[in-house]
Amino acid sequence: KNEVEQSPQNLTAQEGEFITINCSYSVGISALHWLQQHPGGGIVSLFMLSSGKKKHGRLIATINIQEKHSSLHITASHPRDSAVYICAVRFNFGNEKLTFGTGTRLTIIP
Amino acid sequence: GAGVSQTPSNKVTEKGKYVELRCDPISGHTALYWYRQSLGQGPEFLIYFQGTGAADDSGLPNDRFFAVRPEGSVSTLKIQRTERGDSAVYLCASSLSPRGALRSYNEQFFGPGTRLTVL
């Protein structure tokens, strides 16, 4: 079965802390998205990656294809980073659809 | 340019009623996806269109759900005889077509979603 698991499910941290959210998946993929969803809002794609590492501002995403694992890091976290972060993958043999993790609810306290 | 848009943003209906949810993809995107996100869960795949045809509808939960894309652009998700369990956020995404013989993945761009509440 093609599965995506995220951890932790909930994360509360103080402003300024370094944040790590993890995603693991069961079989080979061709792409992995990190997505951000604010309460009542739509989904915004933060990164799409298939290998290595990407950085955008205070956000960094890494992926290890051999270990079937990806991490999303937030440096110098800020209350506006509070949102649900979702990992989604396109499995090699799952046609074009994305399979999503259940999300990590991040709360940054001022 | 304009992103993916969805209307309405919110829909409240009564059990047993019929609803239509609309998705306008990014211009030029031939692939269109519908996903459903129940409270506290990640989105789940419903159906995928390539052009006008449904390339994969394996995620539709039952025959009360149907989607069309008659001209290969705008898509409508139709739900008959709504049930309380249909309450969710319905997300639409679009992308360029898969590339090449290996069907390389193209990034999906998401709309803001339609929040459906069935009373």
Side-chain angles (χ1 to χ4, degrees):
Chain A
K1 183 180 176 183
N2 297 345
E3 293 183 335
V4 180
E5 294 189 356
Q6 280 186 243
S7 63
Q9 286 189 312
N10 292 281
L11 179 57
T12 300
Q14 294 287 330
E15 183 174 356
E17 286 190 37
F18 180 80
I19 303 298
T20 296
I21 300 171
N22 297 299
C23 175
S24 60
Y25 47 91
S26 53
V27 295
I29 65 170
S30 58
L32 181 145
H33 278 269
W34 279 104
L35 309 166
Q36 182 190 58
Q37 187 173 37
H38 284 280
I43 286 180
V44 174
S45 179
L46 300 174
F47 296 103
M48 186 186 76
L49 64 166
S50 56
S51 64
K53 174 181 175 178
K54 287 190 176 181
K55 183 176 188 293
H56 185 258
R58 295 181 294 107
L59 302 176
I60 304 166
T62 63
I63 189 167
N64 185 316
I65 296 296
Q66 287 74 28
E67 295 186 3
K68 298 185 177 59
H69 180 268
S70 175
S71 293
L72 175 68
H73 305 286
I74 306 175
T75 62
S77 58
H78 190 277
R80 65 174 174 266
D81 297 328
S82 298
V84 175
Y85 292 85
I86 304 173
C87 169
V89 304
R90 189 247 190 179
F91 288 109
N92 282 335
F93 303 107
N95 72 32
E96 308 307 319
K97 69 183 182 186
L98 291 175
T99 302
F100 296 77
T102 55
T104 296
R105 183 174 298 278
L106 175 66
T107 304
I108 303 298
I109 300 171
Chain B
V4 179
S5 63
Q6 292 185 245
T7 55
S9 55
N10 282 282
K11 176 71 176 178
V12 181
T13 191
E14 293 179 343
K15 179 172 178 252
K17 299 290 188 182
Y18 168 83
V19 297
E20 289 190 351
L21 311 179
R22 175 186 168 111
C23 172
D24 279 88
I26 291 172
S27 178
H29 281 191
T30 57
L32 185 146
Y33 310 79
W34 283 100
Y35 299 94
R36 179 170 74 170
Q37 185 177 24
S38 300
L39 189 64
Q41 302 295 316
E44 293 181 323
F45 171 76
L46 294 177
I47 186 170
Y48 155 57
F49 285 90
Q50 184 59 247
T52 59
D56 182 352
D57 64 358
S58 62
L60 295 177
N62 51 58
D63 61 6
R64 295 187 297 105
F65 288 75
F66 189 71
V68 296
R69 196 185 184 200
E71 298 178 356
S73 178
V74 171
S75 176
T76 304
L77 178 65
K78 308 181 181 190
I79 311 174
Q80 298 177 320
R81 304 184 303 280
T82 53
E83 300 177 356
R84 292 194 180 87
D86 299 335
S87 297
V89 174
Y90 289 81
L91 294 161
C92 176
S94 71
S95 74
L96 296 170
S97 293
R99 291 172 287 138
L102 296 179
R103 303 181 65 76
S104 299
Y105 175 75
N106 279 306
E107 183 175 2
Q108 294 182 27
F109 295 85
F110 289 84
T114 293
R115 183 175 297 277
L116 175 66
T117 303
V118 182
L119 301 177

